Amino acid sequence: MGKFSGFAVTLRHMFRKPVTTQYPKEVREKPVRFHGRHVLNRYPDGMEKCIGCELCAAVCPAKCIYVRGKDNPPGNPVSPGERYGYVYEINLLRCIFCGLCVEACPTTAITMSNMFEFSVTDRNQAIFTKEHLLVGEDGKPNRKLGVEADVTADALEEAGGWMRATAPGGNANFKEEVLWSPEAGVGTRLPEGVADNHPRDIGADTRSPEGRVEQ
Amino acid sequence: MADTKASPEAEESQASPERLKVTIDGVTTEVEPGTLLIEAALKAGKYIPHFCWHPRMKPVAKCRMCLVEVEDQRGLPPACTTPCSNEMVVHTDTPIVQQVQESVLELLLANHPLDCPVCDRGGECPLQDQTMAYGPGESRFVEEKRHYEKPIALSELVLLDRERCILCDRCTRFADEVAGDPLIAFVERGNRTHVLTFPDEPFRSYFSGNTIEACPVGALTAVPYRFKARPWDLEEVESTCAQCAVGCRVKLQSSSSRVLRVLGVDSEEVNQGWLCDKGRFGFEYLHHDDRLTAPMIRIDGELVEASWGEALDAAADGIKRAAKEGPDALGFLGGSRSTTESAYAFSKLARIAGTNNVDAQLGDGLEAAFLVGANPRASIANLDSAAAIVVAGPDLKEELPVLYLRVKQAALKNGVPLIECSPMQTGLSRYAAVSLIHRAGETAQLLSALAGAAQREPTDRPPAGASATDFQRAVEIISEACDKNAVVIAGRTGLATSDGELGASATQLAEAIGGLVLPVAHRANTMGALFAGCAPDLLPGGSRLADGDGGSRAAIEKAWGRAVPSHEGRDASGIVTEAARGNVGALVLMGADLIDDFPDRSLGLEAIGRTGFIVAIDIFMTPTAAAADVVFPAATFGEQSGCVVNIEGRVTRQVAKVAPPGSSQPEWYLLDQLTSRISGKPARWTSHQDVFEEMAAAAPAFAEVTRASIEGAKGTVVRASDTYAPQEIEHPPIATDQYNHRVIAGRKLYGDGQVSGRCTAFRRIDTKAVARLNSRDMSRLGVEDGVAVRLRGARADLEIAVMTDDSVPEGSVSVPFNRIATSSGADEKETGESALHPIRVADLIDSTAAVNEVRIETLESPA
């Protein structure tokens, strides 16, 4: 009998439902903490969250992130505060999708989406720049044409840049809480002592961007 | 010095009564009386956290971070103001000390904005580090923080974020104590105390960048470095600054092959950690789009890009053709902006090509033999303990700012009497015991008279129009300082005067008072280039060419396998004068711009126009390079390794950090290729070290200099093989015309030159040239500040705005040499059109005359 006991396992499996899904016809639901490709988020008012602090680049074990900051243009600030991410590039061929960048980010600017369908024919195509990483004004991720799979608008909604696996306390339902921002750190008063008798022509910061300070 | 080198055991055994025994956290150490506890702790290997204490400034105990527990003493004294006493027992990590440290940090952080992610200091911030190491871990402060507008510009170079400031007093102390420009101060009281400039007076100090480095938080940040990188992006090498001949040690930091920041290194011998703003921020030209990237040759009157081989062949052919007409048909100028290796290669090429017409200075310095052979030569550190300092040279604050700091420190802190011999008041006048203001160009006479008076030779009346009482006072000071290591600092006082005998007179004075001489030069590696033999009368190592059968000459001929030409060479002025007469067939210019950087512009233009063949080795398309037949792109500071020699003769290393643009090469490489094409022997060098080794073997002065001995901040001091011994000095009489004004043409720190004009950091600084006149001359002329006048010089007329400045004596006019003089010229530069001939002060100067005088005419007022 011993020699037939092995076949019992085979027989048992013949009547089971197969685990294979017919990708790409069928799309499996991804877990909430899925580590897909990164997105750069915006505040509800459209301002970019990234402040170009390079902490993501510093913590990245694969050294796949390149960031450079710059002074916010006084008339038309890109992000709240003095500095914004002027260059933001991730080489997704090098990325190991560990999510340390998400943990390091002081403004939850970088999070991981559930978008994973990209294939490249040229190594340069694997470098995602700010243009592709930054979510649109509507909060939906941009798709890098020719590299990322064609998906429906719903799927993009699904892929939104919410904080996922690495939310403080590990709460997968965590939604959008600013950890560090000028508001969170320093309150909402206008700067004091704004006197006119000192030189300030370099003045990166005579602006008061909407949503940053209450007028 | 010997004490610090002794082993700890040896120190232990020689416990003399003058030394104090201090025990810090169980480690016993011996210190000199007067040592502060915080210094003693560092010596014992214990770090006491601190913010306000800085080893080069007076302690103030403002931050309260360094409180320690001293046994048998009530309360917790701050370690930075407590001097050690014998048998003191100190604890730095008891629970009470830890509690105090936590409280201090909690209070400091109460108002600190914690915008570390956007702060330029984040990642290298003492406040961050000490909060991590000694902080309470979390804050109980939930109230609203103090707010200020951020950031505000203190000057064109420094930004201040008052929210981040922890009021440590370092920047304000630096400005007052070290730089002597107390332009920033604390304003308001209590919680609202902050640092600010005075109304309408920006923090325009030449040393403002040091406050950024000293700031223990990110309150002071640099405009050029703002948001350029974060500390963990940067890679650094230690190098030597290439902006002036002081040779400050710097840390050169780069990211992605771009130099982003320069920081000072505390080298006791040279800069004590300080840098001037030109050294700190003047690196942006390295990455300017105008950098030459490929060799160019002139074909049908147009400069076109060529391959290295073509360009080298063309240059070698041109030099060989000219060399057939004898040694005086060749001229080699430059080398003082390069490394010593490259200068050596330049000097060698000149000699192999068969001429001694080679000069590293552009007729704007002193005798080469004096600069390298001054004896006994002072070091910068000698200034600290000198019995007296005589400064006879340029305005040190403008040309050698860090040397100015050292002289100022000696005068102010150590009480060294300072005698200033200058045609006008300079930055040092405030600290001078006596300012011997005299007629420009007659400094040598004055020094000789001082030397005579020191040897009790009666002088009835001081020469050069100096005041008799001041002269008497100066004589008293130097007589007092006789044989006690007084230092005579000697350099070219200005470019409008030839200062021909200044080196000899300075040596004479030093001999008379038994003192030391410190010759100063303008360009960074002038001394290195002269030591490498880039002077008509010198061979590598600073040995005299004319000494003929001396051993050095034989050694060099052996190393080169070639006889060194023995004809008498011409210096820069001689070469250019001959070239202007059309007698020079080929000029090789290495970092030498005869149009914008030569004292006599019309002569330079004439020379360029009449020379048949010009090779320019440069980093930018200078007006001279634009007129050349072959142009080679050179690697420069930060792009090539090598050694440099500063005014003391100290050899230190410059280290390459970034890649040169395009196919630019270090000069020694292309010079080696040229030498090989001219001599027919194969090129010999594959790295700067090969050049160095050949130079060290050929030049006896460099025999003791090894690769290992020039590592580090201290380097090795070299002395020329032949010391300078002046002949009998004869001062030719200089006629004065009371209707004329004598020209004082000094350089300003920020100019419009090829290099500093291309540094974005300096572009915002006002570099408009004005002529400065004494108020009496102004009223005699009947003009007011800002009015344009015409200066009628021997060579040209110059229209320039005037300004009252009583630091200029009557009968003189001070014009900045390195700034474009006319507004039309400045406009041209901005629009980028034909920057070839904006009028400069150099147009006015006749370099063949001993002094230059101008007649000042008022312009007709516009109707």
Side-chain angles (χ1 to χ4, degrees):
Chain A
M1 280 309 282
K3 66 171 83 162
F4 294 106
S5 61
F7 289 112
V9 176
T10 314
L11 277 168
R12 208 158 55 235
H13 276 268
M14 279 174 73
F15 300 103
R16 280 204 182 159
K17 203 176 157 220
V19 291
T20 316
T21 49
Q22 293 305 310
Y23 179 81
K25 281 183 209 151
E26 286 170 35
V27 180
R28 212 163 98 181
E29 196 168 317
K30 282 160 295 259
V32 282
R33 297 184 177 199
F34 187 77
H35 283 199
R37 74 112 157 133
H38 316 74
V39 286
L40 287 173
N41 299 312
R42 290 178 187 271
Y43 287 107
D45 65 357
M47 282 236 183
E48 287 174 20
K49 286 186 171 183
C50 178
I51 50 169
C53 73
E54 300 186 26
L55 285 173
C56 46
V59 79
C60 179
K63 298 268 168 278
C64 69
I65 308 183
Y66 177 76
V67 190
R68 278 293 178 270
K70 205 177 185 180
D71 248 315
N72 260 318
N76 184 24
V78 179
S79 73
E82 297 172 63
R83 174 174 177 151
Y84 77 103
Y86 163 62
V87 177
Y88 203 107
E89 292 176 0
I90 301 182
N91 185 342
L92 288 173
L93 275 183
R94 282 197 194 172
C95 179
I96 57 167
F97 298 92
C98 64
L100 284 179
C101 49
V102 180
E103 281 190 63
C105 185
T107 63
T108 68
I110 187 166
T111 53
M112 289 178 125
S113 69
N114 55 18
M115 297 163 82
F116 65 97
E117 296 155 303
F118 33 86
S119 57
V120 294
T121 51
D122 177 342
R123 280 166 189 275
N124 285 326
Q125 289 179 331
I127 298 170
F128 276 48
T129 61
K130 218 177 132 181
E131 183 195 346
H132 314 113
L133 294 168
L134 192 66
V135 299
E137 297 279 331
D138 55 358
K140 286 183 197 163
N142 287 321
R143 207 167 54 83
K144 187 170 183 180
L145 294 175
V147 171
E148 287 189 288
D150 210 357
V151 286
T152 60
D154 285 352
L156 282 181
E157 189 85 66
E158 185 90 331
W162 303 119
M163 192 69 176
R164 289 167 190 279
T166 49
N171 178 11
N173 292 323
F174 174 83
K175 297 221 169 175
E176 201 74 10
E177 188 179 304
V178 179
L179 289 181
W180 179 90
S181 83
E183 296 97 333
V186 297
T188 52
R189 273 195 305 180
L190 275 170
E192 291 170 0
V194 182
D196 286 319
N197 59 357
H198 52 72
R200 47 191 273 194
D201 62 312
I202 297 175
D205 208 11
T206 47
R207 64 193 181 279
S208 49
E210 299 152 66
R212 202 198 75 170
V213 285
E214 279 176 22
Q215 299 295 319
Chain B
M1 290 315 283
D3 291 342
T4 53
K5 276 184 190 156
S7 63
E9 290 86 351
E11 272 181 59
E12 207 73 56
S13 61
Q14 47 174 254
S16 56
E18 298 97 57
R19 290 172 74 80
L20 309 170
K21 223 177 199 176
V22 186
T23 307
I24 298 163
D25 290 344
V27 180
T28 306
T29 185
E30 278 191 19
V31 295
E32 299 289 326
T35 308
L36 297 170
L37 212 43
I38 199 163
E39 292 166 340
L42 279 180
K43 201 174 161 225
K46 292 280 166 195
Y47 175 77
I48 299 178
H50 59 270
F51 294 110
C52 68
W53 180 72
H54 188 285
R56 297 275 178 202
M57 289 189 253
K58 279 186 206 138
V60 284
K62 276 211 154 184
C63 70
R64 314 310 287 179
M65 193 61 202
C66 66
L67 299 184
V68 290
E69 203 178 344
V70 180
E71 275 182 23
D72 303 328
Q73 198 169 327
R74 204 156 50 88
L76 300 178
C80 71
T81 50
T82 309
C84 295
S85 57
N86 208 11
E87 305 294 336
M88 207 179 208
V89 181
V90 184
H91 302 283
T92 69
D93 53 1
T94 53
I96 180 80
V97 173
Q98 283 173 4
Q99 197 190 334
V100 166
Q101 287 170 344
E102 286 186 5
S103 310
V104 167
L105 278 167
E106 192 176 7
L107 288 168
L108 284 179
L109 292 176
N111 264 330
H112 195 76
L114 294 179
D115 53 356
C116 308
V118 294
C119 175
D120 268 339
R121 207 75 209 256
E124 53 174 12
C125 173
L127 183 60
Q128 267 186 338
D129 295 348
Q130 293 185 32
T131 303
M132 293 298 282
Y134 307 98
E138 63 185 74
S139 173
R140 293 171 294 168
F141 188 81
V142 292
E143 289 78 9
E144 185 137 334
K145 299 196 180 213
R146 189 183 53 172
H147 293 282
Y148 288 112
E149 187 195 358
K150 58 196 288 176
I152 57 166
L154 287 186
S155 73
E156 289 84 353
L157 297 166
V158 184
L159 298 173
L160 169 65
D161 185 328
R162 291 165 294 175
E163 290 183 350
R164 293 181 192 148
C165 178
I166 58 165
L167 307 175
C168 71
D169 204 9
R170 272 191 181 184
C171 56
T172 40
R173 260 184 301 158
F174 171 83
D176 185 17
E177 249 176 58
V178 183
D181 303 314
L183 295 171
I184 46 175
F186 287 125
V187 296
E188 301 208 37
R189 287 289 176 272
N191 185 42
R192 300 177 60 91
T193 316
H194 55 98
V195 172
L196 207 61
T197 49
F198 295 94
D200 302 323
E201 205 174 345
F203 183 36
R204 229 167 245 159
S205 167
Y206 285 167
F207 307 98
S208 62
N210 292 304
T211 60
I212 298 166
E213 202 176 329
C215 183
V217 292
L220 291 165
T221 50
V223 173
Y225 178 65
R226 185 169 165 82
F227 301 160
K228 284 274 161 44
R230 313 236 52 201
W232 52 82
D233 294 330
L234 299 169
E235 298 168 338
E236 71 176 29
V237 292
E238 206 179 301
S239 187
T240 302
C241 179
Q243 295 283 358
C244 79
V246 174
C248 299
R249 290 296 285 177
V250 295
K251 274 186 261 177
L252 197 61
Q253 299 187 324
S254 74
S255 169
S256 311
S257 202
R258 283 182 87 85
V259 176
L260 292 176
R261 185 163 70 163
V262 172
L263 298 176
V265 172
D266 195 334
S267 153
E268 175 60 37
E269 288 79 19
V270 186
N271 56 325
Q272 301 192 325
W274 312 127
L275 294 182
C276 68
D277 285 357
K278 195 175 181 186
R280 185 179 298 273
F281 301 124
F283 56 82
E284 288 164 301
Y285 71 93
L286 288 176
H287 308 298
H288 198 279
D289 289 342
D290 291 354
R291 280 293 297 275
L292 297 174
T293 53
M296 296 173 111
I297 51 179
R298 192 170 292 280
I299 296 175
D300 300 331
E302 286 282 311
L303 271 181
V304 291
E305 280 195 12
S307 72
W308 272 90
E310 286 165 352
L312 287 166
D313 287 342
D317 287 347
I319 295 169
K320 273 195 277 189
R321 229 178 304 125
K324 282 183 195 138
E325 287 157 38
D328 281 339
L330 288 173
F332 287 75
L333 291 172
S336 52
R337 292 181 188 277
S338 322
T339 58
T340 311
E341 283 86 347
S342 293
Y344 168 76
F346 192 63
S347 145
K348 183 179 169 185
L349 172 65
R351 267 66 194 243
I352 297 284
T355 186
N356 282 323
N357 293 348
V358 52
D359 200 348
Q361 303 188 82
L362 291 184
D364 55 0
L366 296 178
E367 266 178 278
F370 167 67
L371 290 178
V372 298
N375 193 44
R377 200 184 184 104
S379 69
I380 292 175
N382 283 147
L383 295 170
D384 296 342
S385 55
I389 302 174
V390 181
V391 180
D395 188 343
L396 297 185
K397 195 174 182 180
E398 302 286 346
E399 290 205 22
L400 304 151
V402 176
L403 183 65
Y404 157 82
L405 284 188
R406 199 68 176 247
V407 174
K408 174 195 164 270
Q409 173 183 285
L412 206 62
K413 204 168 145 194
N414 306 344
V416 179
L418 176 63
I419 301 169
E420 182 194 38
C421 301
S422 167
M424 62 180 281
Q425 295 203 339
T426 67
L428 275 175
S429 302
R430 274 165 66 195
Y431 309 104
V434 187
S435 279
L436 288 173
I437 306 297
H438 55 277
R439 284 193 297 271
E442 298 177 38
T443 313
Q445 281 89 320
L446 192 63
L447 291 185
S448 290
L450 274 177
Q455 289 167 327
R456 307 277 184 278
E457 276 173 31
T459 5
D460 39 345
R461 199 156 71 91
S467 129
T469 44
D470 285 350
F471 188 80
Q472 205 46 49
R473 175 91 186 90
V475 170
E476 279 165 27
I477 291 170
I478 55 170
S479 313
E480 191 94 338
C482 265
D483 301 318
K484 283 189 241 160
N485 284 352
V487 178
V488 181
I489 299 178
R492 184 80 169 254
T493 56
L495 292 117
T497 52
S498 63
D499 288 337
E501 302 83 26
L502 193 73
S505 315
T507 311
Q508 191 189 13
L509 174 60
E511 267 168 21
I513 60 174
L516 310 164
V517 194
L518 182 60
V520 296
H522 173 64
R523 291 184 193 83
N525 198 25
T526 304
M527 295 295 171
L530 297 177
F531 267 109
C534 286
D537 52 347
L538 294 179
L539 283 173
S543 48
R544 209 72 50 73
L545 185 81
D547 288 355
D549 47 14
S552 52
R553 188 182 175 120
I556 285 158
E557 286 178 351
K558 188 165 161 250
W560 290 352
R562 190 106 179 192
V564 175
S566 52
H567 73 105
E568 202 175 307
R570 295 200 175 101
D571 66 357
S573 302
I575 295 169
V576 178
T577 311
E578 282 305 307
R581 290 188 190 132
N583 295 340
V584 172
L587 271 179
V588 184
L589 307 169
M590 182 160 90
D593 184 354
L594 291 187
I595 297 178
D596 275 358
D597 207 16
F598 184 69
D600 189 337
R601 197 146 181 260
S602 36
L603 197 65
L605 280 168
E606 188 74 22
I608 296 290
R610 300 195 63 177
T611 303
F613 186 77
I614 298 172
V615 179
I617 305 164
D618 220 315
I619 58 171
F620 291 116
M621 190 51 83
T622 62
T624 306
D629 298 275
V630 182
V631 180
F632 290 108
T636 182
F637 171 69
E639 297 166 353
Q640 63 163 319
S641 293
C643 64
V644 289
V645 185
N646 80 346
I647 48 173
E648 308 164 274
R650 189 179 301 282
V651 189
T652 49
R653 278 196 66 191
Q654 267 184 2
V655 183
K657 185 71 204 77
V658 296
S663 66
S664 304
Q665 294 288 347
E667 295 100 329
W668 59 258
Y669 167 80
L670 67 98
L671 292 168
D672 190 30
Q673 299 291 325
L674 276 180
T675 310
S676 130
R677 277 164 168 81
I678 287 168
S679 67
K681 290 180 183 167
R684 329 166 53 138
W685 301 320
T686 54
S687 81
H688 70 277
Q689 281 152 356
D690 296 346
V691 194
F692 183 83
E693 269 156 28
E694 188 186 305
M695 179 171 68
F702 281 93
E704 310 231 322
V705 183
T706 60
R707 249 187 265 171
S709 75
I710 58 168
E711 284 303 334
K714 212 173 165 193
T716 307
V717 177
V718 286
R719 290 284 174 258
S721 335
D722 291 328
T723 58
Y724 176 67
Q727 309 288 312
E728 196 67 24
I729 312 169
E730 268 181 46
H731 297 294
I734 295 172
T736 46
D737 180 343
Q738 57 168 325
Y739 296 107
N740 283 349
H741 284 77
R742 201 165 277 187
V743 182
I744 306 168
R747 286 190 176 92
K748 288 279 179 193
L749 186 67
Y750 304 124
D752 279 326
Q754 294 290 332
V755 166
S756 39
R758 285 188 173 89
C759 292
T760 352
F762 304 145
R763 213 169 288 156
R764 273 186 235 102
I765 298 171
D766 185 18
T767 53
K768 224 175 115 217
V770 288
R772 289 163 186 277
L773 280 173
N774 190 287
S775 53
R776 291 190 198 167
D777 284 333
M778 291 283 279
S779 55
R780 199 170 301 140
L781 284 164
V783 288
E784 281 169 9
D785 281 7
V787 174
V789 297
R790 183 179 294 125
L791 307 186
R792 304 207 84 144
R795 293 270 202 232
D797 291 358
L798 180 71
E799 276 175 29
I800 188 168
V802 284
M803 205 170 126
T804 316
D805 187 348
D806 281 338
S807 59
V808 182
E810 263 186 279
S812 290
V813 55
S814 159
V815 278
F817 175 76
N818 55 347
R819 292 187 176 173
I820 290 172
T822 55
S823 51
S824 60
D827 289 344
E828 266 182 334
K829 193 185 167 207
E830 272 161 29
T831 51
E833 288 168 22
S834 164
L836 193 57
H837 302 307
I839 296 180
R840 284 178 171 269
V841 168
D843 281 307
L844 211 62
I845 299 172
D846 173 5
S847 66
T848 54
V851 296
N852 274 270
E853 296 196 329
V854 289
R855 190 154 297 191
I856 302 180
E857 290 175 357
T858 49
L859 300 173
E860 293 90 52
S861 52

